[in-house]
Amino acid sequence: MRYIDLNLNTKVDINMYLDEYNDYLRLYEMFGDARYQLEARKIKDRVQRMLQRQKNYEKCIEMLNGSKKASWSSKQTG
């Protein structure tokens, strides 16, 4: 199961969203109702936003960890 860590306290199950996305696509294929296609697009957009937030969060953590290492090493050598 793949989880996305949105912040320190929240985990989201991506599989749940992907299942829902696939369900709406199947309904659209079966019935041709554009509302199902629209809902599938909304879910896809939501997942993409969550993934982007996760990447941004990870970059921030890397930057913070990098700055801590830099300040720590400068204290050690200074």
Side-chain angles (χ1 to χ4, degrees):
M1 204 176 283
R2 172 137 191 232
Y3 287 96
I4 295 179
D5 219 352
L6 293 179
N7 60 42
L8 297 176
N9 301 317
T10 306
K11 289 193 183 251
V12 174
D13 180 9
I14 266 306
N15 291 328
M16 177 187 71
Y17 285 102
L18 295 177
D19 289 342
E20 190 175 355
Y21 172 78
N22 288 326
D23 290 345
Y24 277 116
L25 283 183
R26 280 192 198 98
L27 288 169
Y28 173 69
E29 289 171 0
M30 290 170 51
F31 301 109
D33 190 336
R35 289 181 292 177
Y36 296 128
Q37 188 179 34
L38 177 63
E39 289 301 319
R41 266 193 228 134
K42 287 179 183 178
I43 293 168
K44 183 180 175 183
D45 292 343
R46 186 179 313 143
V47 169
Q48 287 174 335
R49 283 192 309 270
M50 286 189 294
L51 289 171
Q52 187 59 48
R53 278 189 216 124
Q54 175 64 25
K55 287 179 188 176
N56 292 342
Y57 172 76
E58 288 170 359
K59 285 180 187 177
C60 288
I61 296 301
E62 286 175 17
M63 288 173 51
L64 287 172
N65 287 336
S67 65
K68 287 179 185 175
K69 288 179 187 174
S71 63
W72 172 256
S73 62
S74 65
K75 287 179 184 176
Q76 290 294 334
T77 58

